[in-house]
Amino acid sequence: MTSAGRFAPSPSGELHVGNLRTAILAWLFARSTGRKFLLRVEDLDRARAGTEAVQLRDLSAIGVTWDGDVVRQTERGAVYDRAIARLEDAGLTYECFCTRREIQEAASAPHAPQGAYPGTCRNLDRAELEFRRSTRPAALRLRADVAEFTVHDALHGEFTGVVDDLVLRRNDGVTAYNLAVVVDDAAQGIDQVVRGEDLLPSTPRQAYLASLLSIPVPEYAHVPLVVNRDGARLAKRDGAVTLADLAATGMDAARVRDLLLTSLGLTPGPLANALAAFSPAALPREPWVWPGMADA
Ligand code: GLU
């Protein structure tokens, strides 16, 4: 299988300039290294009708092109189930009946590793298991045997983060993001993962899961986010931040693309023009503050 990079949006709303900047970077990382570039719609959760088509149209409008057909996670349930079955067969899973509140309470206890599931349901005895099964549907968790894992990132170097007994299948039957991402990247031949740096903390969990499934860990590059003037991750409420909003202020897609390329220190114009000089080492490492078109 040829190697590939990818962009994997969740169709929960229109892409904003932060998502578009990440997509441009993922495209440049892949194309500059002779990789294919794939598009995967992560629609297991929070999908909004009609959003996918708008996202794809906006990506095309800024020149982000992809190879082959778009892959949708909702069409891949059988593949996730097979991966989960392998972990179950290896004795690496357990049922969890905790509510969100129970987890929050247990996780806020002194000495609990930050953001980690405290293992409440890890060792339920048979009677307790039977009782809990009669009360609510179970989520399925990984029985992790490490507490942290180290990954290498092209922009962040070595990064060590928490690995806990992460959810593989939620109690509503939906495959969890961490499992789906790992399985899909492997199945699609993706060996380069470029995405926003807000996802860096999840990466040790994913790389660990990959190692348990004997999946090669991809190269990672977690790229700086676009933030608002308060330094918070850009969001819809920050004014004109999508291509449609910006078009309404008179800024067309080519100008948005050029603004994003310039913010990265890259040559404006069609993305191919930026390829020759593209070098991850030269990329800015700080978040970029969106100048805010409405009041610019
Ligand atoms: N679907 C995720 C998001 O839109 C990205 C996941 C990934 O790139 O691994 O935030």
Side-chain angles (χ1 to χ4, degrees), residues 16-21 225-243 245-247 249 251-252 255-261 263 287-296:
H16 58 56
V17 286
N19 309 126
L20 295 172
R21 192 173 185 254
L225 301 179
V226 177
V227 295
N228 66 19
R229 288 188 178 151
D230 300 326
R233 184 159 48 139
L234 204 68
K236 269 297 260 176
R237 61 177 172 281
D238 292 314
V241 292
T242 66
L243 286 190
D245 300 337
L246 290 163
T249 73
M251 189 174 195
D252 66 14
R255 275 184 58 210
V256 178
R257 175 202 63 204
D258 288 351
L259 181 65
L260 296 175
L261 286 166
S263 78
W288 182 53
V289 182
W290 172 243
M293 291 306 118
D295 55 348

Side-chain angles (χ1 to χ4, degrees), residues 34-263:
R35 285 178 165 88
K36 288 186 165 194
F37 190 66
L38 308 180
L39 203 94
R40 183 170 72 234
V41 175
E42 302 210 318
D43 56 353
L44 288 177
D45 199 15
R46 297 178 296 144
R48 276 232 313 259
T51 299
E52 175 192 316
V54 177
Q55 292 188 334
L56 300 188
R57 190 195 63 204
D58 286 355
L59 289 168
S60 299
I62 56 161
V64 171
T65 51
W66 55 92
D67 298 302
D69 293 335
V70 169
V71 166
R72 285 177 201 86
Q73 291 189 319
T74 44
E75 294 163 3
R76 298 177 48 74
V79 187
Y80 308 139
D81 288 347
R82 277 202 294 279
I84 291 174
R86 281 179 54 202
L87 296 168
E88 280 181 304
D89 291 348
L92 291 173
T93 64
Y94 65 90
E95 290 167 67
C96 170
F97 304 88
C98 290
T99 60
R100 220 176 269 268
R101 169 188 257 172
E102 282 167 339
I103 295 174
Q104 266 163 9
E105 281 169 7
S108 62
H111 311 303
Q114 241 205 337
Y117 175 67
T120 319
C121 292
R122 197 176 225 256
N123 297 309
L124 297 183
D125 63 28
R126 180 124 302 271
E128 223 168 340
L129 192 60
E130 293 303 327
F131 170 71
R132 294 286 238 147
R133 278 182 181 155
S134 69
T135 62
R136 52 188 268 128
L140 195 70
R141 284 187 181 273
L142 180 71
R143 192 179 287 280
D145 63 4
V146 300
E148 54 181 38
F149 203 72
T150 300
V151 294
H152 184 266
D153 183 278
L155 302 180
H156 295 262
E158 300 278 287
F159 177 81
T160 301
V162 170
V163 175
D164 64 349
D165 289 352
L166 54 105
V167 172
L168 302 168
R169 191 187 284 125
R170 302 185 336 200
N171 79 347
D172 60 2
V174 175
T175 307
Y177 157 70
N178 283 312
L179 187 278
V181 139
V182 167
V183 169
D184 284 339
D185 284 342
Q188 294 184 272
I190 288 162
D191 61 354
Q192 181 190 58
V193 170
V194 178
R195 57 189 178 189
E197 71 190 3
D198 52 331
L199 289 170
L200 185 59
S202 307
T203 307
R205 287 180 171 88
Q206 292 172 14
Y208 174 65
L209 200 47
S211 74
L212 293 179
L213 289 164
S214 311
I215 287 172
V217 175
E219 283 177 30
Y220 293 109
H222 287 86
V223 300
L225 301 179
V226 177
V227 295
N228 66 19
R229 288 188 178 151
D230 300 326
R233 184 159 48 139
L234 204 68
K236 269 297 260 176
R237 61 177 172 281
D238 292 314
V241 292
T242 66
L243 286 190
D245 300 337
L246 290 163
T249 73
M251 189 174 195
D252 66 14
R255 275 184 58 210
V256 178
R257 175 202 63 204
D258 288 351
L259 181 65
L260 296 175
L261 286 166
T262 308
S263 78

